[in-house]
Amino acid sequence: MITNRDKRMATTLARIENSIYRILSEPEIMARLANYGYDFGAMHSARNLLEEVIRLNRVPDNYDGKERLLLESFKTVKNDFENFYNRHRRLVQEMDNAAAKAIWRRTYPEHPDYQKWLSQADIFYVALLENDSVKEALMKENVPESELMQARNLIDVMREVFKEYRKQKGSELKEVIDLEQKISELEDWYNRFVEINRIAFEGEPQTLEILGIPVAMN
């Protein structure tokens, strides 16, 4: 969805882009502005800043899409895992088996922090897979060892997807911060640039019009 902010940004960037490229393509205008510090090198630096803003301005939507997909993928895997984990924990808790009760106590209460909760789940399944008596008891409840291994593998998948999600979210945040900084730099440059052009081309409204700069009203 294109917002009003996006439209304003696009209009502003198009205006600045027009000014920069017209100056770079008009030797006479360039020569006049060079007297005010806007020589070829300065205009190329401004163009590079503009292109960086344009690049960064496209990034958030791309990242948002990737972030959404990763988050949905994570939720799906987590839901699949919890279907296993909740059932297996309940069965282990209800067993009249000292080893099972010891395993259950090692993962109770469930930690509210996601990373620590995942570590608890990891401990739970490693302990189950290493204990033959508990595995045999679970077999009688229609929980084969392959199901325990499947649940254990989902922990690794969750960790990887969550890691990518956090990485993506962190990258997006950095890109947004960089964009805001670059926009501020570009706006400061352009505001000063407009003032200088009005001085350099005072009495030449047609030149200002070529550069996309409104004529100052008295």
Side-chain angles (χ1 to χ4, degrees):
M1 178 179 178
I2 298 176
T3 65
N4 289 333
R5 179 185 181 279
D6 295 329
K7 292 178 181 178
R8 289 195 299 273
M9 176 64 71
T11 300
T12 300
L13 294 178
R15 182 183 300 118
I16 296 174
E17 183 174 31
N18 174 68
S19 297
I20 292 174
Y21 282 91
R22 288 306 297 266
I23 289 172
L24 289 171
S25 63
E26 298 283 348
E28 291 185 6
I29 295 178
M30 173 70 75
R32 292 270 292 277
L33 287 174
N35 295 323
Y36 296 87
Y38 293 92
D39 58 12
F40 190 78
M43 294 309 300
H44 267 282
S45 294
R47 184 179 68 177
N48 290 339
L49 176 58
L50 170 67
E51 290 176 348
E52 181 68 0
V53 169
I54 291 173
R55 183 188 71 79
L56 289 169
N57 196 43
R58 294 193 186 109
V59 168
D61 287 339
N62 295 336
Y63 272 104
D64 183 58
K66 292 177 184 176
E67 180 188 324
R68 231 180 2 255
L69 288 174
L70 285 168
L71 183 57
E72 288 304 314
S73 177
F74 171 74
K75 287 180 178 178
T76 299
V77 176
K78 187 171 184 286
N79 183 65
D80 290 344
F81 172 74
E82 287 182 326
N83 287 336
F84 282 131
Y85 190 42
N86 292 336
R87 176 169 173 256
H88 295 163
R89 280 180 57 79
R90 178 178 56 78
L91 290 172
V92 169
Q93 181 186 9
E94 293 173 353
M95 283 181 188
D96 186 18
N97 180 302
K101 292 187 180 302
I103 292 172
W104 186 83
R105 282 196 298 269
R106 289 177 65 186
T107 56
Y108 180 83
E110 294 183 68
H111 205 287
D113 178 80
Y114 168 72
Q115 298 286 4
K116 292 180 179 178
W117 172 80
L118 208 55
S119 294
Q120 282 183 324
D122 202 355
I123 291 170
F124 177 78
Y125 281 105
V126 169
L128 290 184
L129 289 166
E130 290 178 347
N131 193 295
D132 291 336
S133 68
V134 178
K135 282 193 294 185
E136 288 175 9
L138 286 170
M139 280 281 289
K140 295 176 182 178
E141 300 292 339
N142 297 315
V143 180
E145 183 174 354
S146 60
E147 185 174 300
L148 299 177
M149 293 178 67
Q150 184 179 355
R152 173 64 187 80
N153 290 336
L154 285 174
I155 294 174
D156 291 335
V157 175
M158 276 193 295
R159 279 177 169 152
E160 188 59 32
V161 175
F162 190 70
K163 177 182 175 182
E164 287 301 312
Y165 169 71
R166 292 291 295 272
K167 179 181 177 182
Q168 190 69 50
K169 199 168 181 62
S171 297
E172 177 187 357
L173 179 60
K174 182 180 184 303
E175 295 286 3
V176 170
I177 292 172
D178 287 348
L179 172 61
E180 295 301 324
Q181 291 174 341
K182 295 297 182 182
I183 288 174
S184 179
E185 290 176 24
L186 185 62
E187 287 177 340
D188 289 345
W189 177 87
Y190 189 65
N191 290 337
R192 177 61 178 162
F193 174 78
V194 168
E195 291 177 6
I196 293 300
N197 273 270
R198 285 175 175 163
I199 294 171
F201 301 108
E202 185 178 8
E204 299 180 39
Q206 71 281 2
T207 302
L208 292 174
E209 184 178 343
I210 287 173
L211 297 176
I213 296 174
V215 178
M217 302 297 292
N218 294 324

